[in-house]
Amino acid sequence: QVQLVESGGGLVQAGVSLRLSCAASGRTFTMYAVGWFRQAPGKEREFVAAITWSGSNTYYADSVKGRFTISRDNAKNTVYLQMNSLKPEDTAVYYCAASSRKYPSGNYYQTVRGYDYWGQGTQVTVSS
């Protein structure tokens, strides 16, 4: 089992930055990739960004490319999501997820079904 705990969310104004953290514990050696997803009220959970645990590959949703950066610190078993130039449409609960599966294509890490473990989420609210 892998446990994931998100932190760093909050209420901010448009244009500012936030950094989310995802701390992993348990059988972290089984993780192959970690992703961030978000879910706004009344909407489905959507992919934001993902990174392989080796750090060799990163993936981003088109809506956040150029504004968000995903990174990891293997020594701390932590993955970060640096969010710059935040917009009101970024408002959502942000979830961290871990996958223990090595897929032939990075497309799988952009789907909810590609992940085995999920955190409880952290709220990000961006006011205009």
Side-chain angles (χ1 to χ4, degrees), residues 80-92:
Y80 304 99
L81 184 68
Q82 178 67 43
M83 306 186 296
N84 298 331
S85 302
L86 282 163
K87 304 175 181 180
E89 50 264 44
D90 294 320
T91 294

Side-chain angles (χ1 to χ4, degrees), residues 44-110:
E44 293 187 352
R45 193 167 298 189
E46 66 174 5
F47 169 74
V48 176
I51 187 168
T52 52
W53 200 239
S54 66
S56 58
N57 293 293
T58 57
Y59 310 93
Y60 294 95
D62 288 342
S63 59
V64 306
K65 279 181 182 176
R67 299 189 298 125
F68 292 10
T69 303
I70 190 170
S71 62
R72 88 278 181 267
D73 184 333
N74 289 3
K76 295 182 178 180
N77 286 332
T78 300
V79 172
Y80 304 99
L81 184 68
Q82 178 67 43
M83 306 186 296
N84 298 331
S85 302
L86 282 163
K87 304 175 181 180
E89 50 264 44
D90 294 320
T91 294
V93 177
Y94 283 70
Y95 296 92
C96 173
S99 176
S100 60
R101 290 168 274 180
K102 183 178 180 180
Y103 295 113
S105 167
N107 290 338
Y108 292 91
Y109 297 120
Q110 301 178 44

